[in-house]
PDB file of all heavy atoms in Angstrom:
ATOM      1  N   ASP A 845       1.455   9.484  23.531  1.00  0.00           N
ATOM      2  CA  ASP A 845       0.880   8.205  23.099  1.00  0.00           C
ATOM      3  C   ASP A 845       0.020   8.384  21.849  1.00  0.00           C
ATOM      4  O   ASP A 845       0.067   7.554  20.926  1.00  0.00           O
ATOM      5  CB  ASP A 845       0.043   7.613  24.228  1.00  0.00           C
ATOM      6  CG  ASP A 845       0.910   7.137  25.392  1.00  0.00           C
ATOM      7  OD1 ASP A 845       2.109   6.912  25.169  1.00  0.00           O
ATOM      8  OD2 ASP A 845       0.377   7.033  26.516  1.00  0.00           O
ATOM      9  N   VAL A 846      -0.775   9.430  21.815  1.00  0.00           N
ATOM     10  CA  VAL A 846      -1.649   9.653  20.651  1.00  0.00           C
ATOM     11  C   VAL A 846      -0.820   9.928  19.406  1.00  0.00           C
ATOM     12  O   VAL A 846      -1.095   9.383  18.330  1.00  0.00           O
ATOM     13  CB  VAL A 846      -2.628  10.819  20.938  1.00  0.00           C
ATOM     14  CG1 VAL A 846      -3.362  11.213  19.661  1.00  0.00           C
ATOM     15  CG2 VAL A 846      -3.619  10.439  22.011  1.00  0.00           C
ATOM     16  N   VAL A 847       0.227  10.742  19.526  1.00  0.00           N
ATOM     17  CA  VAL A 847       1.057  11.055  18.348  1.00  0.00           C
ATOM     18  C   VAL A 847       1.761   9.797  17.861  1.00  0.00           C
ATOM     19  O   VAL A 847       1.836   9.523  16.656  1.00  0.00           O
ATOM     20  CB  VAL A 847       2.079  12.154  18.697  1.00  0.00           C
ATOM     21  CG1 VAL A 847       3.058  12.353  17.547  1.00  0.00           C
ATOM     22  CG2 VAL A 847       1.351  13.463  18.956  1.00  0.00           C
ATOM     23  N   ASN A 848       2.277   9.000  18.788  1.00  0.00           N
ATOM     24  CA  ASN A 848       2.951   7.751  18.372  1.00  0.00           C
ATOM     25  C   ASN A 848       1.974   6.780  17.723  1.00  0.00           C
ATOM     26  O   ASN A 848       2.331   6.049  16.801  1.00  0.00           O
ATOM     27  CB  ASN A 848       3.628   7.112  19.576  1.00  0.00           C
ATOM     28  CG  ASN A 848       4.867   7.886  20.025  1.00  0.00           C
ATOM     29  OD1 ASN A 848       5.541   8.501  19.206  1.00  0.00           O
ATOM     30  ND2 ASN A 848       5.143   7.880  21.316  1.00  0.00           N
ATOM     31  N   GLU A 849       0.737   6.764  18.215  1.00  0.00           N
ATOM     32  CA  GLU A 849      -0.279   5.932  17.579  1.00  0.00           C
ATOM     33  C   GLU A 849      -0.571   6.441  16.171  1.00  0.00           C
ATOM     34  O   GLU A 849      -0.729   5.625  15.233  1.00  0.00           O
ATOM     35  CB  GLU A 849      -1.553   5.951  18.421  1.00  0.00           C
ATOM     36  CG  GLU A 849      -2.662   5.051  17.892  1.00  0.00           C
ATOM     37  CD  GLU A 849      -2.336   3.572  18.014  1.00  0.00           C
ATOM     38  OE1 GLU A 849      -1.404   3.225  18.759  1.00  0.00           O
ATOM     39  OE2 GLU A 849      -3.008   2.767  17.332  1.00  0.00           O
ATOM     40  N   TYR A 850      -0.642   7.770  16.043  1.00  0.00           N
ATOM     41  CA  TYR A 850      -0.813   8.354  14.698  1.00  0.00           C
ATOM     42  C   TYR A 850       0.335   7.906  13.780  1.00  0.00           C
ATOM     43  O   TYR A 850       0.112   7.512  12.613  1.00  0.00           O
ATOM     44  CB  TYR A 850      -0.830   9.876  14.778  1.00  0.00           C
ATOM     45  CG  TYR A 850      -2.124  10.481  15.276  1.00  0.00           C
ATOM     46  CD1 TYR A 850      -2.158  11.790  15.768  1.00  0.00           C
ATOM     47  CD2 TYR A 850      -3.295   9.765  15.255  1.00  0.00           C
ATOM     48  CE1 TYR A 850      -3.328  12.351  16.203  1.00  0.00           C
ATOM     49  CE2 TYR A 850      -4.480  10.320  15.698  1.00  0.00           C
ATOM     50  CZ  TYR A 850      -4.504  11.622  16.169  1.00  0.00           C
ATOM     51  OH  TYR A 850      -5.669  12.182  16.612  1.00  0.00           O
ATOM     52  N   VAL A 851       1.563   7.974  14.272  1.00  0.00           N
ATOM     53  CA  VAL A 851       2.722   7.608  13.462  1.00  0.00           C
ATOM     54  C   VAL A 851       2.658   6.131  13.059  1.00  0.00           C
ATOM     55  O   VAL A 851       2.944   5.775  11.895  1.00  0.00           O
ATOM     56  CB  VAL A 851       4.022   7.903  14.239  1.00  0.00           C
ATOM     57  CG1 VAL A 851       5.224   7.303  13.500  1.00  0.00           C
ATOM     58  CG2 VAL A 851       4.209   9.399  14.409  1.00  0.00           C
ATOM     59  N   THR A 852       2.265   5.276  13.999  1.00  0.00           N
ATOM     60  CA  THR A 852       2.162   3.848  13.686  1.00  0.00           C
ATOM     61  C   THR A 852       1.124   3.616  12.586  1.00  0.00           C
ATOM     62  O   THR A 852       1.357   2.844  11.643  1.00  0.00           O
ATOM     63  CB  THR A 852       1.758   3.075  14.940  1.00  0.00           C
ATOM     64  OG1 THR A 852       2.741   3.291  15.958  1.00  0.00           O
ATOM     65  CG2 THR A 852       1.645   1.584  14.651  1.00  0.00           C
ATOM     66  N   ILE A 853      -0.015   4.299  12.700  1.00  0.00           N
ATOM     67  CA  ILE A 853      -1.067   4.141  11.685  1.00  0.00           C
ATOM     68  C   ILE A 853      -0.591   4.668  10.336  1.00  0.00           C
ATOM     69  O   ILE A 853      -0.830   4.053   9.294  1.00  0.00           O
ATOM     70  CB  ILE A 853      -2.352   4.851  12.142  1.00  0.00           C
ATOM     71  CG1 ILE A 853      -2.921   4.175  13.391  1.00  0.00           C
ATOM     72  CG2 ILE A 853      -3.385   4.862  11.024  1.00  0.00           C
ATOM     73  CD1 ILE A 853      -4.116   4.893  13.977  1.00  0.00           C
ATOM     74  N   VAL A 854       0.093   5.800  10.335  1.00  0.00           N
ATOM     75  CA  VAL A 854       0.577   6.383   9.074  1.00  0.00           C
ATOM     76  C   VAL A 854       1.576   5.463   8.408  1.00  0.00           C
ATOM     77  O   VAL A 854       1.503   5.223   7.187  1.00  0.00           O
ATOM     78  CB  VAL A 854       1.208   7.759   9.345  1.00  0.00           C
ATOM     79  CG1 VAL A 854       1.959   8.256   8.109  1.00  0.00           C
ATOM     80  CG2 VAL A 854       0.133   8.775   9.713  1.00  0.00           C
ATOM     81  N   LEU A 855       2.517   4.898   9.178  1.00  0.00           N
ATOM     82  CA  LEU A 855       3.502   3.979   8.587  1.00  0.00           C
ATOM     83  C   LEU A 855       2.828   2.734   8.034  1.00  0.00           C
ATOM     84  O   LEU A 855       3.184   2.257   6.939  1.00  0.00           O
ATOM     85  CB  LEU A 855       4.545   3.602   9.647  1.00  0.00           C
ATOM     86  CG  LEU A 855       5.472   4.736  10.123  1.00  0.00           C
ATOM     87  CD1 LEU A 855       6.409   4.229  11.208  1.00  0.00           C
ATOM     88  CD2 LEU A 855       6.277   5.312   8.970  1.00  0.00           C
ATOM     89  N   ALA A 856       1.849   2.190   8.794  1.00  0.00           N
ATOM     90  CA  ALA A 856       1.149   0.997   8.309  1.00  0.00           C
ATOM     91  C   ALA A 856       0.344   1.309   7.047  1.00  0.00           C
ATOM     92  O   ALA A 856       0.345   0.526   6.087  1.00  0.00           O
ATOM     93  CB  ALA A 856       0.231   0.460   9.408  1.00  0.00           C
ATOM     94  N   GLU A 857      -0.337   2.465   7.035  1.00  0.00           N
ATOM     95  CA  GLU A 857      -1.113   2.855   5.865  1.00  0.00           C
ATOM     96  C   GLU A 857      -0.200   3.076   4.660  1.00  0.00           C
ATOM     97  O   GLU A 857      -0.532   2.692   3.538  1.00  0.00           O
ATOM     98  CB  GLU A 857      -1.907   4.128   6.171  1.00  0.00           C
ATOM     99  CG  GLU A 857      -3.048   3.960   7.134  1.00  0.00           C
ATOM    100  CD  GLU A 857      -4.261   3.334   6.466  1.00  0.00           C
ATOM    101  OE1 GLU A 857      -4.296   3.277   5.224  1.00  0.00           O
ATOM    102  OE2 GLU A 857      -5.176   2.897   7.189  1.00  0.00           O
ATOM    103  N   ASP A 858       0.963   3.680   4.907  1.00  0.00           N
ATOM    104  CA  ASP A 858       1.897   3.948   3.794  1.00  0.00           C
ATOM    105  C   ASP A 858       2.401   2.639   3.192  1.00  0.00           C
ATOM    106  O   ASP A 858       2.422   2.462   1.968  1.00  0.00           O
ATOM    107  CB  ASP A 858       3.068   4.777   4.308  1.00  0.00           C
ATOM    108  CG  ASP A 858       4.115   5.028   3.240  1.00  0.00           C
ATOM    109  OD1 ASP A 858       3.830   5.791   2.302  1.00  0.00           O
ATOM    110  OD2 ASP A 858       5.191   4.425   3.332  1.00  0.00           O
ATOM    111  N   ALA A 859       2.820   1.687   4.076  1.00  0.00           N
ATOM    112  CA  ALA A 859       3.302   0.402   3.573  1.00  0.00           C
ATOM    113  C   ALA A 859       2.213  -0.357   2.845  1.00  0.00           C
ATOM    114  O   ALA A 859       2.420  -0.931   1.769  1.00  0.00           O
ATOM    115  CB  ALA A 859       3.861  -0.424   4.730  1.00  0.00           C
ATOM    116  N   GLU A 860       1.008  -0.350   3.444  1.00  0.00           N
ATOM    117  CA  GLU A 860      -0.107  -1.062   2.809  1.00  0.00           C
ATOM    118  C   GLU A 860      -0.474  -0.432   1.469  1.00  0.00           C
ATOM    119  O   GLU A 860      -0.773  -1.137   0.483  1.00  0.00           O
ATOM    120  CB  GLU A 860      -1.315  -1.057   3.738  1.00  0.00           C
ATOM    121  CG  GLU A 860      -2.522  -1.810   3.205  1.00  0.00           C
ATOM    122  CD  GLU A 860      -3.688  -1.783   4.164  1.00  0.00           C
ATOM    123  OE1 GLU A 860      -3.542  -1.191   5.264  1.00  0.00           O
ATOM    124  OE2 GLU A 860      -4.745  -2.323   3.820  1.00  0.00           O
ATOM    125  N   TYR A 861      -0.448   0.888   1.435  1.00  0.00           N
ATOM    126  CA  TYR A 861      -0.780   1.590   0.180  1.00  0.00           C
ATOM    127  C   TYR A 861       0.214   1.249  -0.921  1.00  0.00           C
ATOM    128  O   TYR A 861      -0.162   0.930  -2.045  1.00  0.00           O
ATOM    129  CB  TYR A 861      -0.804   3.089   0.442  1.00  0.00           C
ATOM    130  CG  TYR A 861      -0.960   3.926  -0.799  1.00  0.00           C
ATOM    131  CD1 TYR A 861      -2.214   4.145  -1.346  1.00  0.00           C
ATOM    132  CD2 TYR A 861       0.143   4.497  -1.416  1.00  0.00           C
ATOM    133  CE1 TYR A 861      -2.362   4.899  -2.508  1.00  0.00           C
ATOM    134  CE2 TYR A 861       0.011   5.253  -2.571  1.00  0.00           C
ATOM    135  CZ  TYR A 861      -1.243   5.459  -3.094  1.00  0.00           C
ATOM    136  OH  TYR A 861      -1.379   6.208  -4.246  1.00  0.00           O
ATOM    137  N   ARG A 862       1.501   1.314  -0.592  1.00  0.00           N
ATOM    138  CA  ARG A 862       2.530   1.092  -1.614  1.00  0.00           C
ATOM    139  C   ARG A 862       2.519  -0.369  -2.072  1.00  0.00           C
ATOM    140  O   ARG A 862       2.573  -0.642  -3.286  1.00  0.00           O
ATOM    141  CB  ARG A 862       3.908   1.462  -1.056  1.00  0.00           C
ATOM    142  CG  ARG A 862       4.051   2.951  -0.781  1.00  0.00           C
ATOM    143  CD  ARG A 862       5.450   3.275  -0.296  1.00  0.00           C
ATOM    144  NE  ARG A 862       5.557   4.681   0.067  1.00  0.00           N
ATOM    145  CZ  ARG A 862       5.747   5.653  -0.813  1.00  0.00           C
ATOM    146  NH1 ARG A 862       5.889   5.385  -2.090  1.00  0.00           N
ATOM    147  NH2 ARG A 862       5.815   6.923  -0.411  1.00  0.00           N
ATOM    148  N   ILE A 863       2.441  -1.311  -1.137  1.00  0.00           N
ATOM    149  CA  ILE A 863       2.425  -2.722  -1.520  1.00  0.00           C
ATOM    150  C   ILE A 863       1.133  -3.040  -2.285  1.00  0.00           C
ATOM    151  O   ILE A 863       1.145  -3.742  -3.289  1.00  0.00           O
ATOM    152  CB  ILE A 863       2.561  -3.616  -0.265  1.00  0.00           C
ATOM    153  CG1 ILE A 863       3.947  -3.421   0.357  1.00  0.00           C
ATOM    154  CG2 ILE A 863       2.339  -5.078  -0.621  1.00  0.00           C
ATOM    155  CD1 ILE A 863       4.152  -4.177   1.643  1.00  0.00           C
ATOM    156  N   GLY A 864       0.006  -2.496  -1.807  1.00  0.00           N
ATOM    157  CA  GLY A 864      -1.255  -2.746  -2.497  1.00  0.00           C
ATOM    158  C   GLY A 864      -1.260  -2.178  -3.892  1.00  0.00           C
ATOM    159  O   GLY A 864      -1.752  -2.818  -4.835  1.00  0.00           O
ATOM    160  N   GLN A 865      -0.696  -0.977  -4.055  1.00  0.00           N
ATOM    161  CA  GLN A 865      -0.651  -0.380  -5.392  1.00  0.00           C
ATOM    162  C   GLN A 865       0.238  -1.184  -6.326  1.00  0.00           C
ATOM    163  O   GLN A 865      -0.126  -1.437  -7.490  1.00  0.00           O
ATOM    164  CB  GLN A 865      -0.155   1.061  -5.290  1.00  0.00           C
ATOM    165  CG  GLN A 865      -0.274   1.841  -6.594  1.00  0.00           C
ATOM    166  CD  GLN A 865       0.262   3.240  -6.460  1.00  0.00           C
ATOM    167  OE1 GLN A 865       1.307   3.455  -5.870  1.00  0.00           O
ATOM    168  NE2 GLN A 865      -0.453   4.200  -6.993  1.00  0.00           N
ATOM    169  N   SER A 866       1.416  -1.595  -5.832  1.00  0.00           N
ATOM    170  CA  SER A 866       2.311  -2.399  -6.681  1.00  0.00           C
ATOM    171  C   SER A 866       1.677  -3.745  -7.004  1.00  0.00           C
ATOM    172  O   SER A 866       1.817  -4.254  -8.115  1.00  0.00           O
ATOM    173  CB  SER A 866       3.656  -2.580  -5.992  1.00  0.00           C
ATOM    174  OG  SER A 866       3.517  -3.317  -4.791  1.00  0.00           O
ATOM    175  N   ARG A 867       0.964  -4.344  -6.020  1.00  0.00           N
ATOM    176  CA  ARG A 867       0.333  -5.640  -6.278  1.00  0.00           C
ATOM    177  C   ARG A 867      -0.795  -5.506  -7.285  1.00  0.00           C
ATOM    178  O   ARG A 867      -0.958  -6.360  -8.176  1.00  0.00           O
ATOM    179  CB  ARG A 867      -0.184  -6.195  -4.952  1.00  0.00           C
ATOM    180  CG  ARG A 867      -0.617  -7.660  -5.006  1.00  0.00           C
ATOM    181  CD  ARG A 867       0.549  -8.550  -5.375  1.00  0.00           C
ATOM    182  NE  ARG A 867       1.762  -8.333  -4.614  1.00  0.00           N
ATOM    183  CZ  ARG A 867       1.989  -8.812  -3.382  1.00  0.00           C
ATOM    184  NH1 ARG A 867       1.070  -9.558  -2.809  1.00  0.00           N
ATOM    185  NH2 ARG A 867       3.118  -8.556  -2.765  1.00  0.00           N
ATOM    186  N   GLU A 868      -1.600  -4.462  -7.175  1.00  0.00           N
ATOM    187  CA  GLU A 868      -2.673  -4.244  -8.149  1.00  0.00           C
ATOM    188  C   GLU A 868      -2.098  -3.988  -9.544  1.00  0.00           C
ATOM    189  O   GLU A 868      -2.629  -4.471 -10.548  1.00  0.00           O
ATOM    190  CB  GLU A 868      -3.532  -3.068  -7.719  1.00  0.00           C
ATOM    191  CG  GLU A 868      -4.391  -3.348  -6.487  1.00  0.00           C
ATOM    192  CD  GLU A 868      -5.190  -2.144  -6.072  1.00  0.00           C
ATOM    193  OE1 GLU A 868      -5.071  -1.092  -6.751  1.00  0.00           O
ATOM    194  OE2 GLU A 868      -5.943  -2.232  -5.081  1.00  0.00           O
ATOM    195  N   THR A 869      -1.007  -3.225  -9.592  1.00  0.00           N
ATOM    196  CA  THR A 869      -0.357  -2.982 -10.892  1.00  0.00           C
ATOM    197  C   THR A 869       0.154  -4.281 -11.498  1.00  0.00           C
ATOM    198  O   THR A 869      -0.014  -4.528 -12.706  1.00  0.00           O
ATOM    199  CB  THR A 869       0.807  -1.982 -10.723  1.00  0.00           C
ATOM    200  OG1 THR A 869       0.291  -0.764 -10.160  1.00  0.00           O
ATOM    201  CG2 THR A 869       1.454  -1.688 -12.062  1.00  0.00           C
ATOM    202  N   LEU A 870       0.755  -5.130 -10.648  1.00  0.00           N
ATOM    203  CA  LEU A 870       1.269  -6.415 -11.143  1.00  0.00           C
ATOM    204  C   LEU A 870       0.130  -7.300 -11.638  1.00  0.00           C
ATOM    205  O   LEU A 870       0.243  -7.929 -12.705  1.00  0.00           O
ATOM    206  CB  LEU A 870       2.047  -7.109 -10.040  1.00  0.00           C
ATOM    207  CG  LEU A 870       2.609  -8.508 -10.375  1.00  0.00           C
ATOM    208  CD1 LEU A 870       3.531  -8.432 -11.587  1.00  0.00           C
ATOM    209  CD2 LEU A 870       3.313  -9.097  -9.170  1.00  0.00           C
ATOM    210  N   GLU A 871      -0.964  -7.359 -10.879  1.00  0.00           N
ATOM    211  CA  GLU A 871      -2.089  -8.188 -11.303  1.00  0.00           C
ATOM    212  C   GLU A 871      -2.675  -7.692 -12.627  1.00  0.00           C
ATOM    213  O   GLU A 871      -3.042  -8.475 -13.499  1.00  0.00           O
ATOM    214  CB  GLU A 871      -3.163  -8.183 -10.218  1.00  0.00           C
ATOM    215  CG  GLU A 871      -2.748  -8.922  -8.952  1.00  0.00           C
ATOM    216  CD  GLU A 871      -3.800  -8.810  -7.854  1.00  0.00           C
ATOM    217  OE1 GLU A 871      -4.805  -8.088  -8.097  1.00  0.00           O
ATOM    218  OE2 GLU A 871      -3.623  -9.431  -6.796  1.00  0.00           O
ATOM    219  N   PHE A 872      -2.733  -6.365 -12.779  1.00  0.00           N
ATOM    220  CA  PHE A 872      -3.251  -5.813 -14.030  1.00  0.00           C
ATOM    221  C   PHE A 872      -2.334  -6.172 -15.195  1.00  0.00           C
ATOM    222  O   PHE A 872      -2.799  -6.564 -16.277  1.00  0.00           O
ATOM    223  CB  PHE A 872      -3.382  -4.302 -13.915  1.00  0.00           C
ATOM    224  CG  PHE A 872      -3.716  -3.619 -15.205  1.00  0.00           C
ATOM    225  CD1 PHE A 872      -5.005  -3.647 -15.707  1.00  0.00           C
ATOM    226  CD2 PHE A 872      -2.731  -2.956 -15.929  1.00  0.00           C
ATOM    227  CE1 PHE A 872      -5.312  -3.027 -16.906  1.00  0.00           C
ATOM    228  CE2 PHE A 872      -3.036  -2.332 -17.139  1.00  0.00           C
ATOM    229  CZ  PHE A 872      -4.334  -2.381 -17.611  1.00  0.00           C
ATOM    230  N   ARG A 873      -1.013  -6.052 -14.992  1.00  0.00           N
ATOM    231  CA  ARG A 873      -0.070  -6.350 -16.078  1.00  0.00           C
ATOM    232  C   ARG A 873      -0.098  -7.836 -16.426  1.00  0.00           C
ATOM    233  O   ARG A 873      -0.022  -8.208 -17.616  1.00  0.00           O
ATOM    234  CB  ARG A 873       1.349  -5.938 -15.667  1.00  0.00           C
ATOM    235  CG  ARG A 873       1.539  -4.445 -15.470  1.00  0.00           C
ATOM    236  CD  ARG A 873       1.163  -3.678 -16.687  1.00  0.00           C
ATOM    237  NE  ARG A 873       1.374  -2.255 -16.504  1.00  0.00           N
ATOM    238  CZ  ARG A 873       0.964  -1.311 -17.351  1.00  0.00           C
ATOM    239  NH1 ARG A 873       0.311  -1.662 -18.445  1.00  0.00           N
ATOM    240  NH2 ARG A 873       1.177  -0.031 -17.118  1.00  0.00           N
ATOM    241  N   VAL A 874      -0.211  -8.699 -15.420  1.00  0.00           N
ATOM    242  CA  VAL A 874      -0.292 -10.134 -15.695  1.00  0.00           C
ATOM    243  C   VAL A 874      -1.542 -10.450 -16.498  1.00  0.00           C
ATOM    244  O   VAL A 874      -1.522 -11.226 -17.462  1.00  0.00           O
ATOM    245  CB  VAL A 874      -0.247 -10.928 -14.377  1.00  0.00           C
ATOM    246  CG1 VAL A 874      -0.571 -12.401 -14.626  1.00  0.00           C
ATOM    247  CG2 VAL A 874       1.121 -10.804 -13.718  1.00  0.00           C
ATOM    248  N   GLY A 875      -2.674  -9.877 -16.073  1.00  0.00           N
ATOM    249  CA  GLY A 875      -3.904 -10.089 -16.828  1.00  0.00           C
ATOM    250  C   GLY A 875      -3.821  -9.564 -18.239  1.00  0.00           C
ATOM    251  O   GLY A 875      -4.347 -10.176 -19.176  1.00  0.00           O
ATOM    252  N   GLN A 876      -3.153  -8.423 -18.409  1.00  0.00           N
ATOM    253  CA  GLN A 876      -2.998  -7.853 -19.743  1.00  0.00           C
ATOM    254  C   GLN A 876      -2.152  -8.754 -20.633  1.00  0.00           C
ATOM    255  O   GLN A 876      -2.487  -8.991 -21.809  1.00  0.00           O
ATOM    256  CB  GLN A 876      -2.348  -6.476 -19.633  1.00  0.00           C
ATOM    257  CG  GLN A 876      -2.297  -5.712 -20.942  1.00  0.00           C
ATOM    258  CD  GLN A 876      -1.638  -4.343 -20.780  1.00  0.00           C
ATOM    259  OE1 GLN A 876      -0.766  -4.177 -19.931  1.00  0.00           O
ATOM    260  NE2 GLN A 876      -2.040  -3.387 -21.574  1.00  0.00           N
ATOM    261  N   VAL A 877      -1.069  -9.310 -20.079  1.00  0.00           N
ATOM    262  CA  VAL A 877      -0.222 -10.224 -20.857  1.00  0.00           C
ATOM    263  C   VAL A 877      -0.995 -11.479 -21.232  1.00  0.00           C
ATOM    264  O   VAL A 877      -0.928 -11.947 -22.379  1.00  0.00           O
ATOM    265  CB  VAL A 877       1.049 -10.577 -20.051  1.00  0.00           C
ATOM    266  CG1 VAL A 877       1.809 -11.711 -20.732  1.00  0.00           C
ATOM    267  CG2 VAL A 877       1.960  -9.358 -19.933  1.00  0.00           C
ATOM    268  N   ASP A 878      -1.747 -12.041 -20.280  1.00  0.00           N
ATOM    269  CA  ASP A 878      -2.531 -13.251 -20.577  1.00  0.00           C
ATOM    270  C   ASP A 878      -3.574 -12.980 -21.651  1.00  0.00           C
ATOM    271  O   ASP A 878      -3.778 -13.805 -22.558  1.00  0.00           O
ATOM    272  CB  ASP A 878      -3.208 -13.766 -19.295  1.00  0.00           C
ATOM    273  CG  ASP A 878      -2.188 -14.258 -18.273  1.00  0.00           C
ATOM    274  OD1 ASP A 878      -1.049 -14.559 -18.675  1.00  0.00           O
ATOM    275  OD2 ASP A 878      -2.529 -14.318 -17.077  1.00  0.00           O
TER     276      ASP A 878
END
């Protein structure tokens, strides 16, 4: 149970990290264009 909980947290953190990074990059590029 603990290992599976670790895996769930890692997958959620990975998805959040990648989406958050791409979203921050997009916001920066949009602001730069404006």
Side-chain angles (χ1 to χ4, degrees):
D845 291 339
V846 170
V847 173
N848 288 329
E849 183 69 15
Y850 283 161
V851 170
T852 301
I853 295 175
V854 168
L855 292 177
E857 290 282 347
D858 177 71
E860 182 179 358
Y861 172 83
R862 293 182 184 279
I863 294 176
Q865 189 181 44
S866 63
R867 192 61 49 81
E868 289 178 1
T869 302
L870 177 58
E871 291 176 356
F872 172 77
R873 295 303 182 189
V874 170
Q876 187 180 30
V877 170
D878 294 340

